[in-house]
Amino acid sequence: MRLPTLKTSLVIAGVSALALMAQACAPTMTHHGYLSHDAKPSTDIKVGDTQAVVLDKLGAPSQTSIYNPSEWYYIDQTSMKMTYKQSRVTSRSVTVVNFDTGTQTVATVKTLSLADGRDLTPNPSKTPTRGRSLTALEQVLGTVGHQRLSNDQDRNPGNNRRRE
């Protein structure tokens, strides 16, 4: 039996390292929300079905509307994450089932996709809160001395410093 040469060993080690690095770059797929194994909410539910039939076919909804409890949502989302990158949503399906409030039967079924979603940007301005900014020394010492500002001294919440 002949031992491999140094050159052959280095080639094998290099190929193994490349294979491991390529495997580390494989995306990780995650699935969130309604897990439908064989159910297709948009085609299984028909107008006129009762709530019991919908619960039997699809199970409990992912979410119900706060303002209209007769509106059920079945939400399904798949995301992909590469090793060092932020995760990215690859697909989303939201099935909205509206029930007639009088008869408790399905009035409409609507399916929304990822393209129907909207990006929301939060308002960058901050609401001032009651209180005042603390210096580093005040934060370290905490409530030593228990000095407080009365309401008439606190004219600009969030930006006042201790007055001595």
Side-chain angles (χ1 to χ4, degrees), residues 62-99:
S62 304
Q63 185 75 37
T64 58
S65 175
I66 294 173
Y67 302 109
N68 183 7
S70 63
E71 187 171 85
W72 292 3
Y73 300 98
Y74 291 91
I75 304 167
D76 176 33
Q77 177 173 299
T78 305
S79 301
M80 179 179 73
K81 179 173 176 35
M82 296 296 279
T83 307
Y84 294 106
K85 295 182 180 178
Q86 203 169 27
S87 66
R88 182 174 55 92
V89 177
T90 56
S91 69
R92 181 181 301 135
S93 173
V94 178
T95 302
V96 182
V97 180
N98 284 310
F99 292 97

Side-chain angles (χ1 to χ4, degrees), residues 92 116-124:
R92 181 181 301 135
D116 297 318
R118 293 180 299 195
D119 287 332
L120 299 176
T121 48
N123 189 351

Side-chain angles (χ1 to χ4, degrees), residues 12-112:
I12 291 173
V15 168
S16 299
L18 284 174
L20 284 173
M21 288 188 329
Q23 182 181 4
C25 293
T28 303
M29 302 298 283
T30 55
H31 189 87
H32 298 281
Y34 176 71
L35 298 173
S36 62
H37 296 289
D38 291 330
K40 302 278 187 259
S42 58
T43 57
D44 288 348
I45 302 303
K46 306 214 178 342
V47 174
D49 287 347
T50 64
Q51 283 186 350
V53 171
V54 173
L55 285 173
D56 186 43
K57 288 183 179 179
L58 302 178
S62 304
Q63 185 75 37
T64 58
S65 175
I66 294 173
Y67 302 109
N68 183 7
S70 63
E71 187 171 85
W72 292 3
Y73 300 98
Y74 291 91
I75 304 167
D76 176 33
Q77 177 173 299
T78 305
S79 301
M80 179 179 73
K81 179 173 176 35
M82 296 296 279
T83 307
Y84 294 106
K85 295 182 180 178
Q86 203 169 27
S87 66
R88 182 174 55 92
V89 177
T90 56
S91 69
R92 181 181 301 135
S93 173
V94 178
T95 302
V96 182
V97 180
N98 284 310
F99 292 97
D100 183 16
T101 53
T103 61
Q104 297 300 320
T105 59
V106 175
T108 59
V109 179
K110 181 170 48 170
T111 302
L112 306 171

